[in-house]
């Protein structure tokens, strides 16, 4: 079985996980729009693809998958997910299974306004969100909302242009800045469908958690692994502990059953007065997955087994709790 | 020989380098103001110290060094460097050698205004810098300076509150923000000596380089290792290539002879039209040192040898050029 990871970026560990699963029974291919990727060092085969928004992107991938008999494609980047989700059938026709959720679910994850609507429509707690700055100012003057307010790109990735407004001057300035940042980055592509490119959210105070909601390839929820974030830096988790928080777990099992997503859903949660608020959803392996893997969860293995039509026991997608993982940095010669 | 690394933070690799050098002939001790440090996992001995600005910090360290027969202390954090530099003699008296530069040189590095003055006074190129926002606005209106302008804390560390102003509105807003960020972070301590807490610099355009200027323990310049930064993320270098840039090397050899710093000086350089401009200096091992180490430079070994009164051959502090290093992330269970 051959596996290809697209938009692989810096995630060398994903290549290693899949190589370990495949052993001598298949190759790991990686694909990225530039070669500035440490993942290229570890993959069996690598290729530089056109940019995701290039009209040649999907034809290029189809051709490459056919030529190299790729059985499974997994993307690690939000914008790429949507593109692949929309062309899933074409890959199916050449015998390549794209492990990606329905386009409607990817859109719910990529568009933070749709995330908010989806969550509240389905009775999950989420931070109060707005698209209209004047509505925010009005709500605050009425005492129905208060500073600080989080200002961020509606179709944001990572911590690009995420900022906190403490007063109206901040709010106006950060809105202008966010719009400029969007116009000057790849965020402009997804944002182009709307004029409301910035989203405003109440700033929750509480303990932050991350989670992997694991569904099988038919979209049935199989497990949820929760990590308590103990230290963050530049929007990424430096230290996290795997925990057994029943309240969060039950909420996310219900979320997984609602999204019916495929394979992994990476999630951010804030616990506020004992209630789990869902902040973000990413329909893919997220930066926090290595913590679950450290605890013994092997979702890459489960995906390969499921793709072969085999059943996967719960142990394969479970992690020990109580253990803490630290991010460590190495410089590797290429 | 026992070595202690203070303010060790996340730099587990420094512990590993020193453990490799010492082998069975000494221990590596680490010290940090909290235990959220992956370095604690690898050190032989670890201790949580008072905060650097706590009046008990130096007495605590002196006591600890005496008790544990620490031969060498090396700090990895700017504010800590200054504190240790000022108390170097007291450590000397109990038989502990602090590998740190003269307080006046640490101050030149920590205060970006002093950095600018020091560099230009000694005929090095540096980005035009200002402490007075109105002077910046005036210079721009006179056509002697132009946007974008970099706005950052004068006593800044890392990328905290570093931003770019594209117009006067930005300039005023970012000045306000930087002052607020300084007041709400540990930057307030060093900044407390002045009301000019923010510095403005012209925004250079060119290829960015990093370097280690290696002096021996008497302050004599021994070598310079230069790396070309190929990819950055959140102010840190993700990918860099070790290069043989004579122009930069010669400039930095002269800089090392001018600062007469002790051991390592981490440097940021911009090449603008073939001229090396010096942006920043840190009188310590910086985040880029692992690239030099990858190339074969072993400054930890040289420091230990020098401290023993031995000579160190040039090979020990040299690195192969032409090779490229990538930052790689691991999650390690603690």
């Amino acid at each position: 079985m051959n596996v290809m990871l697209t938009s692989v970026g810096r995630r060398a560990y994903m290549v290693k996980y899949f190589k370990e699963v495949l052993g001598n029974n298949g190759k790991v291919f990686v694909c990225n729009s530039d070669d500035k990727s440490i993942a290229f060092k570890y993959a069996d085969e690598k290729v530089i693809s056109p940019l995701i928004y290039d009209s040649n992107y999907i034809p290029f991938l189809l051709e490459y998958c056919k030529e190299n008999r790729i059985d499974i494609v997994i993307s690690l980047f939000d914008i790429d997910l949507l593109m692949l989700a929309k062309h899933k059938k074409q890959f199916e026709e050449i015998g390549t299974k794209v492990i990606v959720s329905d386009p409607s679910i990817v859109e719910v994850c990529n568009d933070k306004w749709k995330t908010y609507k989806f969550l509240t429509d389905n009775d999950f707690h989420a931070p109060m969100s707005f698209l209209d700055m004047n509505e925010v100012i009005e709500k605050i003057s009425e005492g129905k909302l208060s500073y600080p307010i989080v200002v961020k790109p509606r179709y944001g990735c990572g911590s690009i242009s995420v900022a906190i407004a403490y007063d109206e001057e901040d709010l106006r300035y950060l809105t202008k800045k966010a719009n400029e940042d969007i116009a000057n980055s790849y965020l402009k592509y997804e944002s182009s469908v709307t004029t409301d490119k910035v989203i405003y959210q109440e700033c929750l105070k509480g303990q932050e958690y991350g989670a992997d909601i694991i569904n099988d390839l038919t979209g049935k929820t199989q497990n949820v692994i929760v990590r308590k974030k103990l230290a963050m830096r530049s929007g990424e988790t430096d230290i996290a502990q795997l925990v057994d928080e029943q309240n969060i777990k039950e909420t996310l099992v219900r979320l997984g059953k609602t999204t019916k997503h495929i394979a992994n859903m990476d999630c951010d949660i804030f616990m506020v007065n004992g209630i789990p608020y869902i902040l973000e959803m990413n329909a893919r392996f997220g930066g926090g997955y290595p913590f679950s893997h450290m605890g013994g969860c092997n979702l890459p293995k489960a995906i390969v087994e499921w793709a072969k039509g085999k059943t996967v026991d719960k142990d394969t997608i479970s992690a020990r709790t109580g253990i803490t993982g630290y991010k460590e940095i190495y410089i590797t010669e290429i």
Side-chain angles (χ1 to χ4, degrees), chain A:
Chain A
M1 175 162 285
N2 292 327
V3 174
M4 174 140 95
L5 303 174
T6 62
S7 299
V8 68
R10 308 185 309 157
R11 276 146 299 182
Y13 52 81
M14 289 302 301
V15 177
K16 293 182 185 171
Y17 297 160
F18 275 102
K19 276 184 68 94
E20 220 177 282
V21 170
L22 296 178
N24 294 320
N25 302 313
K27 285 181 178 176
V28 177
F29 294 69
V30 296
C31 155
N32 209 48
S33 60
D34 63 48
D35 65 350
K36 286 181 176 173
S37 165
I38 175 72
F40 276 36
K41 183 184 169 88
Y42 299 104
D44 294 303
E45 305 287 343
K46 40 239 151 197
V47 65
I48 297 174
S49 71
L51 293 170
I52 297 166
Y53 282 104
D54 191 302
S55 60
N56 288 320
Y57 182 63
I58 292 294
F60 171 88
L61 276 191
L62 283 166
E63 187 59 32
Y64 189 82
C65 286
K66 207 170 162 183
E67 217 172 84
N68 295 283
R69 299 165 171 243
I70 306 291
D71 298 287
I72 286 178
V73 169
I74 295 172
S75 170
L76 300 175
F77 185 49
D78 297 329
I79 298 172
D80 190 24
L81 286 176
L82 187 58
M83 199 58 89
L84 291 174
K86 285 178 177 169
H87 295 85
K88 199 172 177 176
K89 264 212 171 138
Q90 286 172 261
F91 286 90
E92 207 83 51
E93 282 161 13
I94 59 157
T96 301
K97 195 172 187 64
V98 185
I99 310 294
V100 69
S101 299
D102 206 71
S104 64
I105 281 302
V106 177
E107 277 174 359
V108 159
C109 295
N110 290 7
D111 175 352
K112 294 181 205 309
W113 179 247
K114 281 195 182 160
T115 308
Y116 174 65
K117 284 290 171 199
F118 178 87
L119 288 169
T120 49
D121 285 352
N122 288 286
D123 297 321
F124 293 98
H125 290 274
M128 260 193 290
S129 300
F130 307 88
L131 288 180
D132 179 356
M133 185 180 72
N134 292 320
E135 194 187 342
V136 173
I137 294 170
E138 206 182 290
K139 281 264 187 310
I140 288 172
S141 74
E142 291 168 2
K144 291 176 183 163
L145 187 66
S146 61
Y147 291 108
I149 294 291
V150 181
V151 181
K152 54 186 173 186
R154 177 171 164 185
Y155 294 89
C157 295
S159 56
I160 297 179
S161 207
V162 177
I164 296 175
Y166 293 93
D167 55 32
E168 196 175 318
E169 187 195 358
D170 284 1
L171 202 64
R172 291 184 185 279
Y173 180 85
L174 294 174
T175 300
K176 186 190 91 166
K177 267 295 143 198
N179 275 306
E180 285 170 10
D181 287 353
I182 291 163
N184 293 320
S185 73
Y186 61 81
L187 298 183
K188 67 182 164 196
Y189 299 110
E190 270 198 295
S191 302
S192 66
V193 297
T194 175
T195 51
D196 297 322
K197 299 175 199 292
V198 175
I199 191 165
Y200 306 89
Q201 298 184 319
E202 64 172 321
C203 190
L204 298 177
K205 277 184 188 65
Q207 172 64 48
E208 195 170 350
Y209 292 82
D212 290 312
I213 309 177
I214 298 174
N215 282 6
D216 64 21
L217 303 192
T218 69
K220 280 207 191 84
T221 303
Q222 301 294 329
N223 204 6
V224 167
I225 295 166
V226 183
R227 55 187 174 273
K228 187 174 179 178
K229 299 183 181 183
L230 300 178
M232 309 271 296
R233 199 175 152 118
S234 308
E236 293 179 6
T237 306
D238 258 17
I239 311 176
Q241 184 182 33
L242 295 173
V243 293
D244 196 17
E245 282 275 356
Q246 277 311 312
N247 198 345
I248 297 178
K249 215 168 159 172
E250 280 163 23
T251 302
L252 297 186
V253 164
R254 187 167 76 81
L255 180 58
K257 286 180 179 171
T258 312
T259 59
K260 298 184 181 63
H261 65 270
I262 303 297
N264 204 359
M265 170 84 79
D266 171 74
C267 245
D268 284 334
I269 306 101
F270 257 86
M271 278 296 265
V272 183
N273 301 324
I275 297 169
Y277 280 70
I278 297 161
L279 253 80
E280 289 225 11
M281 295 152 62
N282 298 297
R284 55 169 170 79
F285 283 95
Y289 175 72
F291 290 97
S292 301
H293 204 85
M294 167 193 79
C297 171
N298 195 338
L299 183 53
K301 185 177 175 187
I303 289 172
V304 167
E305 297 292 304
W306 281 325
K308 286 179 180 165
K310 294 188 182 171
T311 54
V312 169
D313 59 34
K314 186 90 184 258
D315 267 5
T316 306
I317 47 168
S318 299
R320 283 175 296 139
T321 54
I323 56 173
T324 300
Y326 281 62
K327 184 183 284 182
E328 202 175 337
I329 286 167
Y330 289 82
I331 300 298
T332 306
E333 186 181 340
I334 207 161

